């Protein structure tokens, strides 16, 4: 699971709604998988991110700032969590990540109606 | 009267093909064989085919009105009778001759002999050789066949050591630990036992195997002939007074015949029940070994009633045996903490026992019916969608390799840097189509998601009714051949609503579902058009020629050879079947592949081939050529009528339909999320 993917995931436990984001990530095994750097692609991803307390407006001209983009590229696209857990911040429910795959299945009582 | 010479030929060789028997003689043979089986089945008398001194005389017993006065003279004519045993109330008796020769003479001469009983009624004697004169204990109840209890099988010291060897403290990292069940603590060794399906995962043995102390005890029992096979699975159960276990048969497909259970710490009464309703309570003394084989393992259920006192026989105390109904002798016994060590051997091949009605390997599942509520729908989907895809994932993936052009077109038209969710991504076929997109796939099947992962795609496991993606974050979603797996209208609409929830205002969704109408504008879909003999059909894992791929890869059901059905000519849509209301408890029909649909809700067969995804060592097939028929799985579908998908989408909030079309046996919709007034 890339960190970019993690940013789009949100807990779907019944009743938590938007308070289910972000899922608390605990990684016990992480791998770096090189990905070809595409500055345009990274630049387009940045506005989609939900960064919480951080001011949502990125710094002016970030699209041209190669160092910034490279750093974001590395963090968002090259870091892969292979083993770990994701935890719903509201309900505490834990979802495992195994072999890079999060298992987000809930039992019936826990799903949204 | 039958000629003895011919008879002896017939009896001594069991090969009827070598003898010319007339009709009467053949009939006699049948009766003799039947008598043999009856004796074995009901009375526990095992006959042998070689000559011995002892013969069982069927139809020559006190139980069917034959007296000693009548029978003995008849027997004595053939030789010197050492003994004639006539068990009371039994329709047979045993005769021992002084020599085998005399016994043989009697066998040949007296078989089929007619005698007259006390009431003047004629009866025919059937004789068979036995090893010894033996019959089941008289009494209302007997042990279930195949059951034995061996007392004092371990010493007090060994009992102590065994009990101490189990570490019950909760240790989440230890795979052997099982969270305690409602009634009792359990721990598994060798293989994990799963209570959801009462089976073991044969591909995932637990590390460590069986505890060492068990190993040496098992070896001892093997040497002493107490058990015939070495088990490789152990379940330790701790029963406190008041704990029990519901009546059950250990899953046939999970374990071999011999199942043994060691009782430590306390004695207990275990109930055995025959399907006819007979219940036999059996005392299992402390430090005894219960051995279940044959009928007692495969047909009778066993269980322990959750209670604190057992009713036992006062005179027998804690000795093994059946608790009778003799009211004068019964008393209560307070239970102590009993720990059972149940040893079993995991089965590697399907069960082929003689009790198919209770055998999960042999029994056909009852046909499912149309669900009437959400819970039933969920269960139907679990059994006929999720479980099936997990089983067929590898094979399924191999038949899903060609992306459909319209879907490729949709993806390629999306702006660079779009975030796209593929809900129900299967093997990830569409996740790599457009490198300019960030695509995340999810599917209900772990095995299919594993395949996505192998291809380096971003994917996770979830349910399409509860997708753990932020609302309004996706630029686009696709749902290809997914929504038709939901079993009620409400669930299908809920799945569509989820797609819309994920979209940002202005975002688009592409939905494909299987159409009821497999022929549109007088043109049959490829699914219908293919017939068995077309060469393209033979390949599932085809070469790269696009034509072949296109033809092979179709809707669900491709790659199945079904019986050759010629396609009925259909001019119009089958409007009659659409919008038909289902009667209560109506069974879901099983579809015949490559024919048109006659019902909107149905089961579609998938014939599993190979299994490229799994790495299993193949057991050599026995001489009986078993298990090479490819397994068939049934998948549930609700196929959509013209306009049905569109109407469902229109009913969603904040949605506008951009396009609605038919594509090769599918109804398709492209919708857009409109900005909602907040």
């Amino acid at each position: 699971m890339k960190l970019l993917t993690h940013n789009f995931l949100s807990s779907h436990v019944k009743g938590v709604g938007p308070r289910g984001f972000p899922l608390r990530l605990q990684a016990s095994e992480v791998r770096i998988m090189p990905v070809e750097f595409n500055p345009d692609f990274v630049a387009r991803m940045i506005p989609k991110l939900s960064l919480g307390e951080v001011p949502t407006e990125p710094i002016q001209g970030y699209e041209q700032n190669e160092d910034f983009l490279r750093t974001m590229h590395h963090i968002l696209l090259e870091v892969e969590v292979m083993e770990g857990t994701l935890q719903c911040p509201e309900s505490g429910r834990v979802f495992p990540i195994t072999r890079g795959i999060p298992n987000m299945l809930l039992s019936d009582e826990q799903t949204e109606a | 009267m039958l000629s003895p010479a011919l008879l002896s030929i017939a009896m001594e060789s069991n090969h009827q093909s070598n003898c010319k028997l007339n009709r009467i003689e053949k009939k006699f043979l049948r009766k003799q064989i039947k008598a043999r089986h009856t004796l074995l089945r009901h009375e526990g008398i095992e006959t042998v085919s070689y000559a011995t001194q002892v013969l069982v005389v069927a139809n020559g017993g006190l139980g069917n009105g034959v007296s000693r006065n009548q029978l003995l003279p008849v027997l004595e004519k053939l030789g010197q009778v050492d003994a004639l045993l006539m068990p009371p109330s039994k329709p047979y008796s045993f005769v021992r001759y002084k020599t085998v020769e005399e016994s043989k003479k009697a066998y040949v001469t007296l078989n089929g002999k007619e005698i007259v009983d006390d009431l003047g009624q004629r009866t025919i004697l059937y004789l068979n050789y036995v090893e010894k004169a033996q019959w089941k204990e008289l009494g209302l109840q007997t042990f279930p066949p195949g059951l034995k209890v061996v007392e004092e099988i371990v010493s007090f010291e060994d009992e102590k050591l065994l009990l101490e060897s189990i570490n019950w403290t909760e240790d989440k990292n230890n795979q052997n630990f099982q969270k305690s069940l409602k009634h009792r603590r359990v721990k598994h060794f060798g293989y994990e036992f799963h209570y959801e399906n009462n089976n073991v995962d044969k591909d995932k043995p637990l590390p460590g195997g069986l505890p060492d102390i068990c190993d040496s005890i098992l070896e001892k029992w093997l040497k002493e002939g107490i058990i015939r096979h070495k088990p490789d699975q152990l379940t330790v159960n701790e029963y406190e007074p008041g704990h029990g276990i519901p009546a059950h048969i250990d899953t046939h497909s999970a374990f071999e015949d011999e199942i043994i259970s060691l009782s430590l710490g306390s004695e207990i009464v275990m109930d055995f029940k025959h399907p006819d309703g007979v219940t036999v309570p059996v005392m299992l003394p402390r430090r005894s070994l219960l051995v279940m084989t044959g009928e007692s393992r495969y047909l009778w259920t066993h269980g322990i009633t959750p209670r604190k006192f057992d009713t036992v026989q006062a005179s027998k105390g804690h000795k093994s045996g059946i608790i009778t109904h003799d009211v004068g002798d019964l008393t209560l016994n307070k239970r102590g903490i009993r720990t059972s060590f149940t040893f079993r051997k995991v089965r590697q091949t399907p069960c082929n026992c003689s009790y198919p009605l209770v055998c999960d390997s042999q029994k056909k599942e009852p046909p499912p019916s149309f669900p009437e509520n959400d819970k039933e729908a969920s269960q139907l989907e679990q059994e006929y969608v999720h479980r099936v895809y997990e089983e067929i994932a590898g094979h399924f993936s191999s038949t899903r390799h060609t992306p459909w052009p319209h879907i490729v077109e949709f993806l390629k038209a999306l702006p660079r840097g779009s975030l796209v969710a593929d809900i129900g991504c299967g093997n990830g076929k569409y996740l790599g189509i457009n490198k300019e997109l960030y695509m995340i796939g999810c599917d209900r099947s772990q095995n299919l998601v594993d395949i996505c992962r192998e291809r380096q795609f971003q994917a996770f496991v979830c349910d399409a009714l509860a997708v753990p993606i932020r609302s309004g974050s996706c630029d686009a979603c696709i749902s290809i051949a997914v929504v038709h797996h939901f079993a009620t209208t409400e669930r299908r609409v809920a799945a569509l609503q989820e797609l819309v929830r994920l979209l940002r205002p202005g975002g688009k969704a592409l939905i494909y579902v299987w159409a009821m109408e497999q022929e549109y504008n007088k043109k049959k879909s490829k699914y219908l058009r293919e017939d068995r003999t077309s060469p393209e059909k033979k390949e599932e894992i085809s070469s790269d020629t696009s034509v072949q791929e296109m033809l092979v890869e179709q809707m669900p059901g491709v790659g199945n050879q079904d019986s050759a059905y010629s396609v009925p000519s259909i001019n119009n849509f089958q409007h009659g079947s659409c919008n038909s209301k289902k009667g209560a408890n109506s069974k879901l029909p099983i579809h015949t592949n490559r024919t048109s649909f006659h019902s909107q809700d149905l089961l579609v067969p998938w014939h599993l081939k190979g299994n490229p995804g799994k790495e299993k060592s193949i057991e050599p097939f026995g001489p009986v050529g078993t298990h090479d028929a490819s397994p068939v799985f049934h998948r549930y579908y609700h196929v959509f009528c013209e306009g049905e998908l569109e109407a469902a989408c229109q009913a969603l909030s904040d949605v506008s339909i951009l396009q609605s079309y038919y594509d090769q046996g599918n109804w398709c919709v492209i919708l857009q999320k409109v900005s909602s007034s907040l």
Side-chain angles (χ1 to χ4, degrees), chain B residues 369-381 487-488 490-491:
Chain B
S369 32
F370 189 73
E372 300 198 11
N373 55 51
D374 196 73
K375 180 153 183 240
E376 279 177 26
S378 176
Q379 283 166 346
L380 178 73
E381 289 158 21
T488 65
E490 292 76 23
R491 290 168 80 80

Side-chain angles (χ1 to χ4, degrees), chain B residues 577-593:
Chain B
S577 308
C578 286
N579 305 319
S580 59
K581 222 175 174 302
K582 284 279 171 293
N585 284 327
S586 50
K587 297 280 180 220
L588 290 167
I590 294 177
H591 175 61
T592 304
N593 285 328

Side-chain angles (χ1 to χ4, degrees), chain B residues 6 14 55 65 91 97 114 124 140 166 178 185 284 355 360 367 381 385 433 443 447 464 560 567 638 667 672:
Chain B
L6 266 173
N14 276 326
L55 290 157
Y97 282 94
E114 208 181 70
I124 295 180
L140 282 167
I166 306 299
Q178 173 102 24
R185 288 203 289 193
L284 304 180
Y355 314 96
D360 66 309
E381 289 158 21
V385 180
I433 296 287
D443 201 275
N447 288 336
N560 305 323
V567 177
H638 168 92
W667 287 117
Q672 185 169 42

Side-chain angles (χ1 to χ4, degrees), chain B residues 321-338:
Chain B
I322 300 161
I323 320 291
T324 68
H325 291 302
D326 179 1
V327 179
D329 189 37
L330 296 177
T331 184
L332 289 178
N333 182 54
K334 189 167 181 201
R335 284 189 186 173
I337 297 178
R338 169 182 170 263

